[in-house]
Amino acid sequence: MVEAAVAMDHAGHAAPARGLTRWLTSTNHKDIGTLYLVFALVMFLVGGAMALLIRAELHAPGLQLVNPGFYNQILTVHALLMVFGAVMPATVGLANWMIPLQIGAADMALPRLNLFSFWLLFFASVLLTSTLFLPGGAPAAGWTLYPPLVLQSGSAFPVAIFSIHLMGASSIMGAINVIVTVLNMRTPGMTLLKMPLFCWAWLITAYLLIAVMPVFAGSVTMLLTDYFLATSFFNPAGGGDPVLYQHVFWFFGHPEVYIMILPAFGIVSEIIPTFARKPIFGYDSMVYAIASIAFLSFIVWAHHMFTVGMPVAGQLFFMMATMLIAVPTGVKVFNWTATLWRGSISFEPPMLFALAFLFLFTLGGLSGLMMAIAPVDLQYHDSYFIVAHFHYVLVPGAVFAIIAGVYYWLPKWTGHQYSVRLGQWHFWLTAISVNVMFFPQHFLGLAGMPRRIPDYATPFADWNAVSTIGSFVFGFAQLLFVWLVWRCARGGERATAQVWDGAHGLEWTVPSPPPYHTFATPPELR
Amino acid sequence: MLRRNLARFAIAALVAALAATPAAADWSLLNLPRGVSELSREIYGLHMLMLSICTTIAVVTFGAMTVALLRFRKSQGAVADTSLVHDSRLELVWTVIPVLILVGMAVPAVARILHIEDMSGSELTIKVTGYQWQWHYEYLGRDVAFFSRLARSSDFARQPGSGIDPATVENYLLDVDRPLVVPTGTKVRLLLTANDVIHAWWVPQFGMKRDAIPGFINEMWFRIDADRPGTYRGQCAELCGADHGFMPIVVVAKSPAEFVAWLEQQRATLARPE
């Protein structure tokens, strides 16, 4: 019986199952990685379509396309889908594909958990999106779900909360899997400080996830009991405090932004050395910088709340702690620049996106530093300046790094080289339009335009129109990317094992595409 | 050839689109307003300081990156110096210098916080209550209170399919039926709260915003320059539901004498039996 089961298990492991069964039941890290990445791409397009609807409505003053209530719903769902459906799953997909290949492991440590966490995320995202079509509609209080406003949601509210619970559970499982894999399955000789920086970034991200996702689950559960069971956690009439929610939410929410950006740091730290043909500058300080950023991310949360009326001591503490983040972040930026220095640089699509990340993430970081200054944040807060800032760190920050990672590893995954020319077109259209879209939003915010409004005063019209033009160019440019990935998956010039002449690491020692099972025996470290 | 023409065409179209749209842009709308109160000028000054520090950092960092990208191109025959992987002194320098810059930024910021939070010596207190979707103003101890909501002209124009061009509406979405009236040259304290959900009271010309939270009372203050009477506009800044974008704030600043007269007139109107 046991023998039969083992034999079957082996049969199942030898080659991928055929057709749909493979994609529904596979526990192979490469298949699950692909599922995560494809899913993230689809969610990126769905969330992007919502963004285009928002930008279309904002193209000119007056209400043309949607009513204000629905506007708030798509605003909320756009944000939640982009965070939990697109950016996070994309980095999980990259982790699934690359961590075992980079550390010489046969698979993730917990393959069935891996499968479970993907399908939880899939159905959670479907549930969340479905609230747009349910009675009462989707939550309309912004992705931060602040009470008391969020408690005015319609009858679909528990569906949205449940979907967030599922997403959180999925993230925690994924994080456990990464930690267990990285800590236990490195090939002999690969000490922690010899590990690729992408694995380091993900290891620390995974700890952040485990620490804060339960906090988020707890806070939305309190929303649920306030809604249904007449508890008064956040209801002042019953002795509760709406600001308590904000503290708990941002205790999750601030590490969450690093959950999205640390893997991006890891990806960029892989790509820049490859195309500068030089090892990363200051490897150790890169690791310590990630760790310090992760630590600081736990003690800065109330900088999202400078206008709630905090005591002076609180404002001073959160301002200074936030400013401190600039130090390790600066170390990373300077180390990347030093990696370029005296290198031999070429500009293939992954490098183009990584370099755009380097410039534009730094720009977003600098506007973040301005916002850390509590007294001036009283002007910036909840204005389009903030919208510009976080889109700079999320789109040309996290999303560009993810796209760079896909361009970097796509030939490895598919065994085909893609059209570099098409990749360059995609890059230039994307990199120019992202600035046309988001840079004017700095101006709008400084001039006094609040965020999360469906209609605005006429002096704001010009820059909104510019931003909308940028958004449509950006949106449609991503279809080039979809086309490129599709074509690369179907065929093309054969890729070598090393793919890029400057690439180093275990993932480049296996053939392209890698066999379904790699590193059945741990590889030798050179 | 065709490809190059296409590229040219794409670039030309993009430039044309960019150039045409902001042609009518009001360039004063690029930055924070200097404002009309002592706090707003301090905050503006701090903003400009931070902006110039950050711009300088950006120029230096982006400059170094650009030089690296131009000088060390493989296509120009650059050969990688693979020994350049670590330099403790350099790394110490770019850790310590940012710390010093941050200290330099923090010092003036702390002074501003202390000034903003100093509520003492206020001469007029107004209780501001946020409602979905209007503001209520109560002049404490002066027997004057009223609601302030979006002006009818804007309210008509903003309805979907109204057929009214917002450009033809004066102060579209930034006009109310009854503005808040305050004296110039006087320290005015606002006590902010809300009746239903969280709102935020923001007039950019006064330099700051503050949340109005149900069940709690927040404070903020401003002193409008004695020589700057006028009308100042702002909006609710915290998402408060469907009509969040439609609850503007209008403040009319009058000289203290005119303000007292206005207050008298309001009291008389309110006292008169309907």
Side-chain angles (χ1 to χ4, degrees):
Chain A
M1 184 67 199
V2 173
E3 270 170 26
V6 169
M8 255 179 67
D9 219 25
H10 271 284
H13 273 220
R18 284 174 184 281
L20 197 61
T21 321
R22 169 176 175 184
W23 298 107
L24 289 175
T25 62
S26 175
T27 54
N28 182 292
H29 74 100
K30 301 182 182 76
D31 283 352
I32 294 176
T34 304
L35 283 172
Y36 264 111
L37 285 165
V38 171
F39 175 77
L41 182 59
V42 172
M43 284 295 129
F44 181 58
L45 297 176
V46 173
M50 291 176 189
L52 290 188
L53 185 56
I54 291 170
R55 281 310 327 164
E57 175 56 58
L58 293 175
H59 183 66
L63 285 171
Q64 292 89 11
L65 300 171
V66 295
N67 67 46
F70 186 68
Y71 179 89
N72 291 345
Q73 291 180 28
I74 50 171
L75 184 98
T76 305
V77 177
H78 157 74
L80 288 171
L81 280 188
M82 284 305 201
V83 170
F84 294 103
V87 172
M88 288 170 67
T91 61
V92 177
L94 293 172
N96 260 297
W97 253 104
M98 300 321 299
I99 288 178
L101 288 182
Q102 287 193 326
I103 63 173
D107 203 314
M108 296 294 278
L110 309 164
R112 289 183 181 81
L113 196 71
N114 209 4
L115 178 72
F116 186 41
S117 64
F118 172 76
W119 286 106
L120 266 187
L121 173 75
F122 177 85
F123 288 107
S125 304
V126 172
L127 270 184
L128 180 64
T129 317
S130 74
T131 57
L132 278 170
F133 310 100
L134 293 179
W143 84 285
T144 52
L145 306 171
Y146 279 4
L149 181 61
V150 77
L151 300 175
Q152 295 180 349
S153 301
S155 48
F157 181 62
V159 180
I161 298 294
F162 184 51
S163 74
I164 289 171
H165 280 146
L166 292 182
M167 285 172 177
S170 158
S171 296
I172 292 170
M173 288 179 211
I176 291 173
N177 213 346
V178 167
I179 292 175
V180 178
T181 307
V182 169
L183 292 186
N184 293 312
M185 297 180 65
R186 298 189 313 282
T187 198
M190 183 180 277
T191 59
L192 278 176
L193 282 174
K194 280 185 186 165
M195 198 164 64
L197 281 171
F198 177 68
C199 297
W200 256 114
W202 241 111
L203 178 65
I204 292 173
T205 304
Y207 277 108
L208 289 182
L209 276 166
I210 289 183
V212 301
M213 290 314 285
V215 176
F216 188 34
S219 64
V220 297
T221 306
M222 288 193 274
L223 288 178
L224 206 60
T225 61
D226 269 12
Y227 190 92
F228 284 108
L229 306 178
T231 55
S232 296
F233 292 111
F234 310 126
N235 177 9
D241 180 355
V243 178
L244 171 66
Y245 174 85
Q246 299 185 18
H247 281 290
V248 182
F249 176 85
W250 284 114
F251 184 81
F252 146 80
H254 199 76
E256 170 66 25
V257 306
Y258 291 98
I259 287 166
M260 291 189 276
I261 203 67
L262 292 186
F265 288 172
I267 296 164
V268 169
S269 302
E270 299 291 317
I271 292 172
I272 289 181
T274 296
F275 296 96
R277 293 169 178 77
K278 211 173 136 251
I280 190 90
F281 185 91
Y283 173 94
D284 291 5
S285 61
M286 286 304 244
V287 173
Y288 299 141
I290 299 178
S292 345
I293 292 172
F295 168 73
L296 287 172
S297 76
F298 284 109
I299 57 165
V300 297
W301 74 89
H303 67 214
H304 297 268
M305 306 162 52
F306 281 138
T307 63
V308 300
M310 251 186 292
V312 171
Q315 293 185 45
L316 294 181
F317 172 78
F318 284 109
M319 177 177 84
M320 290 175 186
T322 305
M323 292 169 78
L324 271 186
I325 295 184
V327 177
T329 313
V331 166
K332 298 200 73 74
V333 170
F334 300 138
N335 280 359
W336 285 320
T337 310
T339 306
L340 295 172
W341 203 259
R342 300 222 294 262
S344 172
I345 303 167
S346 59
F347 299 93
E348 287 82 352
M351 184 61 161
L352 288 175
F353 274 97
L355 291 172
F357 167 94
L358 187 53
F359 278 83
L360 299 177
F361 172 78
T362 304
L363 202 147
L366 288 170
S367 62
L369 181 57
M370 293 172 72
M371 286 155 32
I373 310 297
V376 279
D377 185 64
L378 299 179
Q379 283 277 33
Y380 307 146
H381 183 84
D382 268 336
S383 77
Y384 257 79
F385 194 79
I386 305 290
V387 178
H389 159 75
F390 70 71
H391 279 102
Y392 259 91
V393 288
L394 274 179
V395 183
V399 172
F400 272 28
I402 290 164
I403 292 176
V406 171
Y407 275 120
Y408 187 49
W409 286 308
L410 191 60
K412 171 59 62 188
W413 301 334
T414 62
H416 305 295
Q417 187 52 274
Y418 48 81
S419 159
V420 168
R421 169 60 53 144
L422 197 58
Q424 286 166 337
W425 267 96
H426 172 230
F427 170 75
W428 286 108
L429 282 173
T430 303
I432 293 170
S433 61
V434 83
N435 286 294
V436 176
M437 167 163 54
F438 292 127
F439 205 82
Q441 296 183 358
H442 290 113
F443 304 146
L444 288 169
L446 293 177
M449 180 166 160
R451 65 191 281 204
R452 294 167 166 168
I453 54 174
D455 192 6
Y456 49 83
T458 46
F460 304 133
D462 296 320
W463 290 118
N464 269 300
V466 174
S467 181
T468 298
I469 291 168
S471 72
F472 274 81
V473 176
F474 182 91
F476 286 96
Q478 302 322 305
L479 298 180
L480 279 183
F481 178 63
V482 176
W483 169 240
L484 179 146
V485 171
W486 171 255
R487 272 203 2 195
C488 184
R490 306 296 293 177
E493 197 191 318
R494 282 257 148 236
T496 61
Q498 201 190 3
V499 182
W500 315 105
D501 64 293
H504 297 288
L506 288 175
E507 79 252 48
W508 308 107
T509 63
V510 297
S512 307
Y516 200 53
H517 298 286
T518 35
F519 299 131
T521 50
E524 291 269 330
L525 265 192
R526 264 179 302 159
Chain B
M1 194 61 204
L2 175 70
R3 192 183 277 157
R4 197 187 297 164
N5 280 341
L6 266 177
R8 280 207 191 118
F9 174 76
I11 292 169
L14 195 65
V15 171
L18 288 183
T21 327
D26 177 351
W27 298 104
S28 74
L29 287 174
L30 296 182
N31 199 359
L32 274 188
R34 186 184 291 271
V36 295
S37 74
E38 60 180 273
L39 280 187
S40 76
R41 274 193 308 276
E42 286 181 15
I43 288 171
Y44 174 81
L46 194 58
H47 159 74
M48 290 312 286
L49 176 68
M50 298 308 153
L51 185 60
S52 41
I53 293 175
C54 287
T55 308
T56 313
I57 298 172
V59 167
V60 172
T61 328
F62 292 169
M65 291 173 193
T66 309
V67 169
L69 293 181
L70 292 176
R71 266 183 64 188
F72 307 111
R73 276 176 292 170
K74 183 169 180 259
S75 61
Q76 301 298 304
V79 180
D81 171 8
T82 50
S83 67
L84 182 64
V85 291
H86 182 60
D87 185 335
S88 300
R89 231 177 26 196
L90 204 57
E91 288 175 72
L92 192 67
V93 166
W94 65 48
T95 310
V96 172
I97 290 183
V99 171
L100 296 179
I101 295 175
L102 290 177
V103 172
M105 291 169 101
V107 171
V110 170
R112 295 296 99 78
I113 293 180
L114 296 176
H115 194 192
I116 290 167
E117 294 295 334
D118 176 14
M119 306 284 164
S120 62
S122 66
E123 298 150 87
L124 173 69
T125 302
I126 303 169
K127 183 179 163 210
V128 179
T129 311
Y131 286 78
Q132 286 174 314
W133 291 275
Q134 58 192 330
W135 294 98
H136 183 261
Y137 299 114
E138 183 181 351
Y139 293 73
L140 291 185
R142 315 280 174 119
D143 300 330
V144 172
F146 54 86
F147 281 98
S148 174
R149 68 178 75 187
L150 183 67
R152 305 271 298 206
S153 53
S154 291
D155 204 22
F156 283 134
R158 66 113 173 174
Q159 301 302 329
S162 69
I164 303 171
D165 180 2
T168 64
V169 179
E170 204 180 347
N171 294 312
Y172 177 63
L173 298 189
L174 291 180
D175 205 4
V176 294
D177 54 355
R178 294 188 69 177
L180 175 70
V181 178
V182 294
T184 56
T186 309
K187 186 164 183 176
V188 179
R189 184 171 66 134
L190 301 184
L191 298 181
L192 299 133
T193 186
N195 187 54
D196 33 46
V197 301
I198 302 173
H199 304 265
W201 200 89
W202 182 28
V203 177
Q205 296 280 354
F206 299 168
M208 56 186 291
K209 64 178 72 68
R210 191 131 281 183
D211 290 355
I213 301 168
F216 292 82
I217 291 178
N218 263 335
E219 290 179 298
M220 69 177 271
W221 69 270
F222 54 83
R223 191 199 318 266
I224 299 169
D225 299 343
D227 57 345
R228 298 297 291 272
T231 305
Y232 304 107
R233 299 171 196 279
Q235 283 176 270
C236 175
E238 178 67 50
L239 178 59
C240 60
D243 281 356
H244 163 55
F246 308 99
M247 52 181 293
I249 296 155
V250 179
V251 181
V252 174
K254 295 177 188 283
S255 71
E258 284 178 88
F259 173 74
V260 170
W262 174 85
L263 211 55
E264 281 305 319
Q265 184 207 340
Q266 294 300 308
R267 263 201 293 261
T269 321
L270 286 170
R272 195 172 56 218
E274 291 289 325

